[in-house]
Amino acid sequence: MKKRIIHITIAWVTVCLLAACSSTRKLPPGEALYRGADVKIEGPSLGHKEKKNIKNELEALTRPLPNKKILGVPFKLLMYNLAGNPKKEKSIMGWLKYKVGEPPVLASDVNIEWNVKVLQSTMENRGYFKATVQGDSILKNKKAKAVYAVQTGNRYTINKIIFDKDSSVLQKTINASSAKTLLKTGSYFDLETIKAERERIDADLKEKGFYYFDPDYLIIRADSTIGNNAVDLDVKIKPGTPQMARQVYTINDVYIFPGYRLSAEKADTLKSEAEYYKGYYVVDKRKTYKPQMFAQSMQFNPGDVYNRTDHNQSISRLVNLGVFKFVKNRFEPVENSDSAQLNTYYYLTSLPRKSLRADINANTKSNNLTGSGITIGWRNRNTFRGGELLSVNATAGFEIQFSGQLKGFNTYRGGLETKLTFPRFLIPFVTLNTRSGFVPKTNMLLAYDILTKEKLYTMNSFRGEFGYAWKETVNKEHQLNPISINYVQPIRVTPLYESNAFNNPTLQKAIEKQFVIGSNYNYNYNELAGNNGLKGFYFNGNADLSGNIAGLITGANTLNGKPKTIFGAQFSQYLKLETDLRYYAKLSSKNTWANRLIVGFGYPYGNSTELPFIKQFFVGGNNSIRAFRSRSLGPGTYKDLNTLNFIPDQSGDIKLEFNTELRAKLFSIVYGAIFADAGNIWLYRGNTDKPGGKFSSSFMKELGVGTGVGLRFDVSFLVLRLDVAFPLRKPWLPEPERWVIDGIKFGSGAWRRDNLVFNLGIGYPF
């Protein structure tokens, strides 16, 4: 291993030396290669961290930027020089030069005087009013570097913030929100903060009806003559601010044009044909939509004071109906009115009412299974003229192993799903709506699925749901299904499977009849929604309750020998809770630390001793504990060494899983990752057929632990992921022997065969 490291180091040093020589070899006569800027910071009372931050900020502002480097080598420039002067741009060498390569950045491209002005202005904007900047260049061996010396002087602080005291409605409204000001006494002067304060005041005024106000109508003057390196800030309305910007506007008439075409020349010519409905004028000559749909979506009512929240939420709700391709609106002041009023116009361009789409996918798994699937979907938008969406999806797929232990045990899937979505709450005798920017939805679903495992069994299932989904904000979402039914039954079991399942409860459980009838609720909170910085918390909580009413009616008690059935199937009775908590920390522009904690608890009671198989927890696989194959870990310390390889479905009633992963951008679209996973599943009640599977106070000693590394190829719309992992702790071993770190032997083929797990996936694991 040491020799390999030495060889790699020598090779890399050689590449760097060759790059240093070739990067300047083809420069024009008298030119030098620009290597970037170096900013040197000097100033009173500046700490090391503060100097570093200023230095990094100023160096990023200088132009031009030098040639890009990967691990210290300007590969793009090397490719540019290597290609020479190709005669054809579309040739291989032309592609290498103009698409992959990058021309040299020359010293003559640098305007030091311009950069000095930029740095000087930036320092003053940050409160260094007495800063000085000087620039020069250094030339050596046909390479040039710009050097800028910055004397910061003292940074000015805010002494006092003064809001004007005139008696106008506009100024009084501004002063009423002064407690929320971003300008704080004692804070450093910063132009960006002043700009943000103007935006804050403008946003507050927009919520109070000042539709025509603009941040440019505010002026914040800084008085730096008071001494002691301090400034007074005076917040005023500019004298030339027009009267329209000083008035509070209310909503007059609201016109909605659901048949608007982008090519229409005169959008308002059909107002005379409008239908008045609950305060709104709907211009829909063909009666394509019911007016009730717009009354449920609009947040503005005639007579309301204009505010930006209702403005944005009305547009958002119209977009989220899912029946309009484009949504535009405009406000127009009412002429010859005694008060400041706005007429509101919404122009809606419809999507095609019916559509057909097909999706094809392919996949491969670490157990050598290869498969593909197809989904054909049909949609009917605005089914009953109220924005309803009817969708029908037919799916088919397969997984095949061409060699290995699973050869011949092919899997085939098929299904048909019908879903009808109403853009509103459908609750008998109750009218309910939300005030967010998202339209609430009522969902009705019916589905049928069939699964065939060749040489083993065929299972089919029926699903039905009725429920509601709504969003409070872009970060908070709820889903409640008062009725959720799932019926699973085997329709064919082969003698091969029956013979193996005769003495194996795991195999028996996989093909048992399951009848789940209950309710469930899901809450999702996602700080990352709309956050490109990829930093924050993610929480998903799910509560699932089944069979409680049926259990009360029938008096079911399996533990006392009184199991009950409905339609010949024993119904399930349980309470299941599951939480998924994640935290993403942005360590730098190229590094992210991702963490996930999953806790699941299932309590079977009454008519059940365990959760139904389709509701149980599993661990292992490329989105779970990656050092163990899918569904192969647990429960507890149990390890089934006798089961055939075609059924690694170990399940449990309780789950604990923790994952942590450090993600770093290596170059271009390639990202690397180092990760560690830990967790296991357990049974709520003991099972003599699975010794060690019951949850106990020793659960922390029964965790499986693994680690590994991976590569991610991120092309924005698709992430291809390759991970390799290996176990550090095997919970099925005797307690003193569970940690297997001492047994790691990367050079041993036998160890690699038994321990290395390769995972190929689409998207990030969490």
Side-chain angles (χ1 to χ4, degrees):
M1 181 64 73
K2 291 182 179 179
K3 288 184 177 180
R4 289 183 181 178
I5 295 174
I6 293 173
H7 291 160
I8 292 172
T9 303
I10 293 173
W12 190 252
V13 170
T14 303
V15 170
C16 292
L17 290 174
L18 291 174
C21 296
S22 62
S23 61
T24 59
R25 187 160 46 89
K26 295 186 178 182
L27 292 176
E31 281 287 3
L33 182 68
Y34 179 59
R35 296 182 59 195
D38 183 16
V39 178
K40 298 180 179 179
I41 308 294
E42 294 294 336
S45 304
L46 282 180
H48 174 74
K49 185 176 181 180
E50 191 174 0
K51 279 187 178 182
K52 184 177 180 181
N53 291 338
I54 297 174
K55 174 183 173 69
N56 292 338
E57 179 185 3
L58 297 184
E59 286 181 350
L61 292 173
T62 60
R63 291 294 182 271
L65 296 176
N67 289 104
K68 297 177 182 177
K69 292 184 178 181
I70 300 175
L71 299 178
V73 176
F75 277 110
K76 288 181 174 290
L77 177 58
L78 292 182
M79 294 301 101
Y80 185 88
N81 290 335
L82 179 64
N85 296 306
K87 295 181 179 179
K88 296 182 179 180
E89 187 173 335
K90 293 185 179 181
S91 64
I92 294 177
M93 299 307 287
W95 174 84
L96 186 66
K97 182 167 186 173
Y98 298 108
K99 297 296 182 181
V100 178
E102 180 182 68
V105 179
L106 305 176
S108 60
D109 298 331
V110 182
N111 187 333
I112 289 181
E113 291 184 3
W114 184 87
N115 282 329
V116 166
K117 291 179 180 178
V118 170
L119 302 188
Q120 181 82 43
S121 176
T122 301
M123 292 301 293
E124 292 174 358
N125 292 341
R126 295 291 183 268
Y128 295 97
F129 293 148
K130 297 181 179 179
T132 60
V133 181
Q134 293 180 333
D136 202 350
S137 61
I138 299 175
L139 178 63
K140 185 178 180 181
N141 297 329
K142 299 183 71 174
K143 294 181 180 180
K145 197 165 191 176
V147 179
Y148 302 93
V150 179
Q151 291 286 341
T152 65
N154 291 308
R155 191 174 187 182
Y156 279 61
T157 58
I158 299 174
N159 176 60
K160 186 167 53 175
I161 303 101
I162 305 166
F163 286 85
D164 208 356
K165 300 297 183 182
D166 74 46
S167 59
S168 68
V169 175
L170 176 58
Q171 188 64 57
K172 286 181 178 179
T173 306
I174 293 174
N175 294 346
S177 69
S178 61
K180 301 177 183 178
T181 180
L182 304 177
L183 307 174
K184 306 297 182 183
T185 301
S187 297
Y188 288 122
F189 175 92
D190 193 315
L191 185 61
E192 292 302 317
T193 305
I194 289 176
K195 290 180 179 178
E197 172 66 4
R198 296 204 312 169
E199 296 290 342
R200 182 200 67 80
I201 293 173
D202 176 66
D204 184 76
L205 291 173
K206 290 294 194 298
E207 294 296 324
K208 306 293 177 55
F210 293 90
Y211 175 76
Y212 288 103
F213 193 81
D214 188 273
D216 287 340
Y217 296 146
L218 283 170
I219 184 170
I220 301 178
R221 291 177 176 169
D223 182 2
S224 60
T225 64
I226 62 174
N228 298 321
N229 300 312
V231 295
D232 286 342
L233 298 180
D234 193 3
V235 183
K236 289 186 175 183
I237 303 168
K238 288 183 178 178
T241 300
Q243 184 61 28
M244 292 180 68
R246 298 175 180 267
Q247 291 178 306
V248 175
Y249 281 82
T250 58
I251 302 301
N252 184 42
D253 292 330
V254 179
Y255 291 90
I256 302 169
F257 299 87
Y260 178 73
R261 293 173 299 154
L262 296 178
S263 59
E265 296 181 359
K266 296 183 179 180
D268 300 342
T269 55
L270 300 177
K271 286 196 296 186
S272 59
E273 301 179 12
E275 177 183 352
Y276 185 78
Y277 181 83
K278 292 186 177 181
Y280 304 99
Y281 292 93
V282 181
V283 183
D284 186 9
K285 186 177 181 180
R286 297 182 179 180
K287 305 297 180 183
T288 306
Y289 303 96
K290 294 178 180 178
Q292 297 94 309
M293 183 180 77
F294 302 108
Q296 293 161 349
S297 302
M298 299 300 299
Q299 301 294 283
F300 277 129
N301 291 312
D304 287 351
V305 173
Y306 168 86
N307 69 83
R308 180 177 281 174
T309 297
D310 286 348
H311 176 176
N312 292 335
Q313 287 186 353
S314 295
I315 295 176
S316 178
R317 290 171 75 92
L318 290 170
V319 169
N320 280 281
L321 284 172
V323 295
F324 298 113
K325 187 176 183 179
F326 300 109
V327 176
K328 300 197 313 179
N329 89 307
R330 69 182 179 88
F331 294 87
E332 182 181 87
V334 178
E335 297 181 359
N336 303 319
S337 174
D338 295 335
S339 60
Q341 292 181 314
L342 294 170
N343 284 335
T344 308
Y345 301 88
Y346 290 89
Y347 306 108
L348 315 176
T349 303
S350 299
L351 283 163
R353 183 165 182 173
K354 297 178 182 180
S355 62
L356 185 68
R357 61 177 293 179
D359 295 321
I360 300 176
N361 65 72
N363 64 77
T364 181
K365 296 182 178 179
S366 57
N367 57 6
N368 204 25
L369 281 171
T370 300
S372 180
I374 183 172
T375 299
I376 298 176
W378 176 81
R379 285 186 172 190
N380 185 358
R381 298 180 178 87
N382 198 36
T383 306
F384 306 118
R385 297 196 304 117
E388 301 85 3
L389 173 63
L390 174 64
S391 61
V392 180
N393 292 312
T395 61
F398 66 88
E399 287 183 344
I400 297 175
Q401 188 179 70
F402 295 100
S403 62
Q405 295 174 325
L406 296 182
K407 183 179 180 181
F409 294 94
N410 303 328
T411 300
Y412 302 94
R413 302 175 186 271
L416 183 67
E417 179 183 280
T418 301
K419 185 176 182 180
L420 180 60
T421 299
F422 296 83
R424 53 191 172 276
F425 285 121
L426 288 183
I427 305 175
F429 313 113
V430 176
T431 300
L432 185 64
N433 202 354
T434 60
R435 291 289 297 175
S436 73
F438 301 90
V439 176
K441 296 179 180 180
T442 300
N443 299 311
M444 300 178 184
L445 180 143
L446 288 174
Y448 172 78
D449 298 289
I450 185 167
L451 168 68
T452 296
K453 289 198 172 184
E454 200 172 9
K455 299 182 182 181
L456 301 177
Y457 58 79
T458 298
M459 303 281 289
N460 66 359
S461 66
F462 301 87
R463 292 180 289 125
E465 280 186 353
F466 175 83
Y468 310 99
W470 70 98
K471 279 188 174 185
E472 291 183 56
T473 65
V474 70
N475 307 109
K476 300 177 184 179
E477 185 173 3
H478 305 262
Q479 187 168 336
L480 172 65
N481 293 312
I483 301 175
S484 179
I485 301 172
N486 203 328
Y487 180 72
V488 181
Q489 66 172 353
I491 56 176
R492 182 185 65 88
V493 180
T494 66
L496 171 64
Y497 194 89
E498 286 182 337
S499 63
N500 283 278
F502 184 76
N503 294 315
N504 193 313
T506 299
L507 300 183
Q508 294 173 11
K509 191 171 181 63
I511 59 169
E512 69 181 1
K513 283 187 178 181
Q514 301 167 69
F515 188 21
V516 178
I517 177 169
S519 307
N520 56 70
Y521 168 74
N522 180 268
Y523 172 72
N524 183 273
Y525 174 75
N526 186 3
E527 283 187 344
L528 277 67
N531 177 11
N532 295 328
L534 198 62
K535 177 182 178 182
F537 283 97
Y538 169 95
F539 173 81
N540 190 79
N542 189 70
D544 191 350
L545 184 66
S546 177
N548 55 331
I549 297 177
L552 288 172
I553 294 173
T554 61
N557 194 324
T558 300
L559 293 178
N560 291 336
K562 297 180 180 180
K564 301 296 181 179
T565 62
I566 297 178
F567 304 122
Q570 183 174 333
F571 63 87
S572 299
Q573 198 170 359
Y574 63 85
L575 170 66
K576 179 184 175 183
L577 303 173
E578 184 177 12
T579 62
D580 181 345
L581 177 64
R582 308 176 191 180
Y583 177 68
Y584 300 85
K586 192 77 172 178
L587 303 181
S588 69
S589 60
K590 295 184 178 181
N591 299 299
T592 301
W593 184 28
N595 302 274
R596 179 177 67 177
L597 174 65
I598 298 177
V599 180
F601 173 76
Y603 172 60
Y605 66 98
N607 213 37
S608 299
T609 57
E610 293 182 5
L611 296 184
F613 186 71
I614 57 174
K615 294 292 184 177
Q616 284 193 306
F617 299 107
F618 306 88
V619 289
N622 66 0
N623 290 323
S624 181
I625 305 175
R626 286 159 280 185
F628 302 91
R629 301 194 185 279
S630 179
R631 301 189 174 196
S632 65
L633 185 60
T637 60
Y638 173 74
K639 179 69 172 178
D640 188 357
L641 301 176
N642 300 315
T643 301
L644 291 178
N645 290 324
F646 57 69
I647 182 70
D649 286 338
Q650 297 301 332
S651 57
D653 305 317
I654 299 171
K655 177 179 179 178
L656 178 63
E657 182 179 332
F658 174 73
N659 316 90
T660 184
E661 181 172 288
L662 182 63
R663 301 166 182 168
K665 183 174 183 178
L666 301 180
F667 56 90
S668 185
I669 62 170
V670 183
Y671 292 74
I674 302 174
F675 57 84
D677 307 313
N680 206 337
I681 52 172
W682 295 268
L683 299 174
Y684 181 78
R685 293 187 175 90
N687 187 329
T688 55
D689 295 311
K690 295 184 178 182
K694 183 181 179 182
F695 184 81
S696 69
S697 59
S698 302
F699 71 95
M700 290 297 293
K701 298 179 181 179
E702 300 172 357
L703 297 178
V705 181
T707 188
V709 296
L711 290 175
R712 289 91 170 90
F713 301 90
D714 190 343
V715 290
S716 69
F717 64 90
L718 175 68
V719 177
L720 180 65
R721 173 167 53 92
L722 175 63
D723 292 326
V724 57
F726 56 91
L728 300 177
R729 198 170 194 273
K730 300 178 178 180
W732 61 85
L733 297 177
E735 188 173 337
E737 303 174 13
R738 289 175 184 170
W739 286 105
V740 294
I741 299 175
D742 293 341
I744 296 174
K745 297 179 181 178
F746 291 108
S748 167
W751 181 90
R752 294 196 302 270
R753 183 176 58 254
D754 295 337
N755 292 275
L756 286 185
V757 178
F758 292 90
N759 295 285
L760 180 64
I762 302 296
Y764 289 99
F766 56 92

